Amino acid sequence: MITFSFGHTPEMADKLLAAVIRGDKTATCSALRDYSDDSESMPQVGRRDCVLDSKGRRSAIIESTKVEILRFEDVPVEYAVHAGEGFATIDDWRRGYRGELERYGGFEPGIQMVCERFRLVEVLEMNGKTDK
């Protein structure tokens, strides 16, 4: 089980965690370059991972249901719709994600993206409160 938080800032970690718990976020994408060749952190179908909040608290368990590596330009609309970040169109998603890629490592045409669909398995903690 991998432990991680979504996003690059504490605010984004909590915002995206809340979207996962509400059921608004069931997909995510990240640059393949962010994974080392032997990285166990690469999503795997059927694996369950723990999502942390901005304070590092174990808050939710998700299970990967689909993982594919696609060129940025080929990422389908399903990832934009299920990203839980309020993107109205695939073009909005591409602009938003391109901006993130440019800020955190750079963007280049054809960049490979790890695209993951997942389901919420269990809510462990939210805002310091345990949900059972």
Side-chain angles (χ1 to χ4, degrees), residues 8-130:
H8 289 83
T9 66
E11 296 79 18
M12 189 62 85
D14 287 341
K15 177 185 173 187
L16 295 177
L17 171 61
V20 169
I21 291 171
R22 283 192 314 271
D24 295 337
K25 181 172 184 62
T26 59
T28 193
C29 292
S30 56
L32 179 61
R33 65 158 184 248
D34 296 340
Y35 299 92
S36 63
D37 290 339
D38 62 345
S39 177
E40 292 182 16
S41 62
M42 177 75 86
Q44 298 172 14
V45 172
R47 187 179 73 200
R48 292 183 176 190
D49 295 326
C50 183
V51 183
L52 304 174
D53 69 7
S54 63
K55 304 224 185 289
R57 294 180 294 224
R58 298 166 65 89
S59 300
I61 303 294
I62 61 170
E63 181 179 345
S64 299
T65 59
K66 181 178 182 181
V67 178
E68 52 189 334
I69 298 173
L70 301 168
R71 290 177 346 122
F72 180 83
E73 297 82 3
D74 297 332
V75 173
V77 70
E78 77 175 278
Y79 290 101
V81 170
H82 298 286
E85 298 176 43
F87 296 113
T89 67
I90 190 67
D91 290 333
D92 290 341
W93 179 91
R94 287 189 177 125
R95 276 190 293 278
Y97 265 66
R98 181 177 178 151
E100 287 292 302
L101 291 167
E102 288 170 345
R103 279 190 290 285
Y104 301 102
F107 174 83
E108 59 188 56
I111 189 169
Q112 296 287 298
M113 302 294 291
V114 177
C115 301
E116 176 186 11
R117 292 295 309 268
F118 58 84
R119 70 179 187 89
L120 177 64
V121 174
E122 182 179 359
V123 176
L124 303 174
E125 195 174 300
M126 187 64 179
N127 298 322
K129 298 178 182 176
T130 302

